[in-house]
Amino acid sequence: MLVNSFDTKYSKTANKYELLDDNFTSLFSKDKKFNRIFTSVLENQELNSSSSILLRSDITGQVINTILSHDFKKKHYLYYMGDVFKKDIINSQIKQCRQHGVEIINNSKYESFKDLIKILDKILSRFLKQDFIYIFTDPIIKNQSKYLLKAKPNKNDINKFLNIFKKLSKSRYALNLEENFFSKDYHQDIFFYVYSTRTKKVLAQGGGYHYQKNQKVINGVGFSYDVDSLAELI
């Protein structure tokens, strides 16, 4: 059983986390274009003795803000590891979760998607064999619920992404055509999550995004996966 919510990982559980961390970093050890990025576990920009501490619930947003602040015009190939803190939807308690993630910024969205699928599929296939399924959608469906059904295949980006996926991966996949799919407002072109067929939990999620701040614009594709959920399965 995993030890959750601010408790220390120990014994066999700790070994699983170490295995997953080592496997993730080894994927980038010989790929010089990828760099590791470190972000703070705190959301606060400034702290004093009367400040309330805000713990991060997301790392992608921190990565985006870092790039916008430093070098938003260049291409970036980044990976990260760290803990996030999210409210449990059942009991409203704050849970500590570990994430691994990859962000490719200001590169061709199709080439970036290829790189991401290769990395994520390699991780999942090693530890889970075939006990998972990718679920894809187009974020625009949130505003136009029949978009995927009406769009012509040669004008619909999601078909291009699916064709790329099918050439690269033998993993199972499906389309979700529901309007209430849980992509974020900044997602564009493609959104997906990976679902465990054993635990019925979401293991990973990712997609394309567009973000603008003070006339600075970046476009990227990324994913993150839940180390805690993956550790339960190995």
Side-chain angles (χ1 to χ4, degrees):
M1 180 177 178
L2 291 181
V3 183
N4 290 318
S5 301
F6 306 97
D7 288 329
T8 302
K9 307 294 187 292
Y10 67 97
S11 189
K12 292 182 179 179
T13 301
N15 291 337
K16 291 180 181 181
Y17 279 73
E18 186 173 20
L19 173 64
L20 290 168
D21 280 357
D22 289 346
N23 176 73
F24 184 64
T25 55
S26 70
L27 295 174
F28 308 102
S29 61
K30 295 181 180 180
D31 193 336
K32 300 301 182 183
K33 68 182 179 184
F34 276 94
N35 293 294
R36 185 170 178 181
I37 185 170
F38 293 81
T39 61
S40 174
V41 72
L42 301 180
E43 292 281 11
N44 304 68
Q45 297 296 318
E46 296 181 359
L47 282 175
N48 56 51
S49 59
S50 61
S51 298
S52 295
I53 294 177
L54 300 177
L55 298 172
R56 68 182 176 197
S57 60
D58 175 66
I59 300 178
T60 298
Q62 291 182 312
V63 173
I64 289 173
N65 284 325
T66 299
I67 298 304
L68 284 170
S69 300
H70 291 85
D71 199 348
F72 70 96
K73 293 183 178 180
K74 286 188 177 181
K75 293 181 182 180
H76 297 274
Y77 296 80
L78 304 169
Y79 69 97
Y80 60 80
M81 304 161 60
D83 290 356
V84 295
F85 301 83
K86 297 185 176 183
K87 183 181 291 188
D88 189 290
I89 60 174
I90 296 176
N91 57 27
S92 296
Q93 293 184 346
I94 301 298
K95 292 183 63 177
Q96 181 179 357
C97 310
R98 185 157 181 79
Q99 278 188 359
H100 294 163
V102 177
E103 307 292 339
I104 302 177
I105 296 171
N106 295 333
N107 189 39
S108 159
K109 60 187 177 184
Y110 300 117
E111 290 301 318
S112 299
F113 181 73
K114 285 181 186 178
D115 286 342
L116 294 181
I117 292 300
K118 287 178 184 177
I119 295 168
L120 183 56
D121 216 47
K122 190 171 185 178
I123 294 167
L124 297 176
S125 297
R126 175 182 176 184
F127 293 108
L128 305 183
K129 307 304 180 185
Q130 290 297 315
D131 295 329
F132 60 91
I133 183 171
Y134 287 82
I135 310 294
F136 292 97
T137 195
D138 189 325
I140 201 171
I141 203 171
K142 293 184 73 175
N143 300 318
Q144 302 178 31
S145 60
K146 295 181 180 180
Y147 175 80
L148 292 179
L149 301 178
K150 289 182 177 180
K152 294 180 179 179
N154 62 347
K155 293 185 178 180
N156 190 352
D157 265 1
I158 196 168
N159 288 290
K160 294 178 182 178
F161 287 108
L162 287 177
N163 287 334
I164 292 170
F165 176 82
K166 288 185 286 186
K167 290 177 181 178
L168 293 174
S169 175
K170 296 182 180 179
S171 300
R172 289 180 292 169
Y173 76 93
L175 283 176
N176 186 315
L177 307 183
E178 298 296 326
E179 189 176 2
N180 62 350
F181 200 83
F182 57 86
S183 61
K184 304 294 185 182
D185 291 339
Y186 53 75
H187 281 122
Q188 67 173 10
D189 300 319
I190 185 70
F191 180 78
F192 66 88
Y193 69 85
V194 184
Y195 176 76
S196 168
T197 55
R198 287 168 55 190
T199 62
K200 314 304 180 187
K201 291 182 178 180
V202 174
L203 302 174
Q205 63 180 25
Y209 52 82
H210 171 86
Y211 197 87
Q212 181 173 351
K213 183 178 181 181
N214 298 330
Q215 298 184 332
K216 297 179 179 180
V217 178
I218 63 171
N219 292 284
V221 184
F223 75 77
S224 65
Y225 64 87
D226 187 328
V227 178
D228 299 73
S229 294
L230 193 55
E232 288 183 21
L233 296 165
I234 65 174

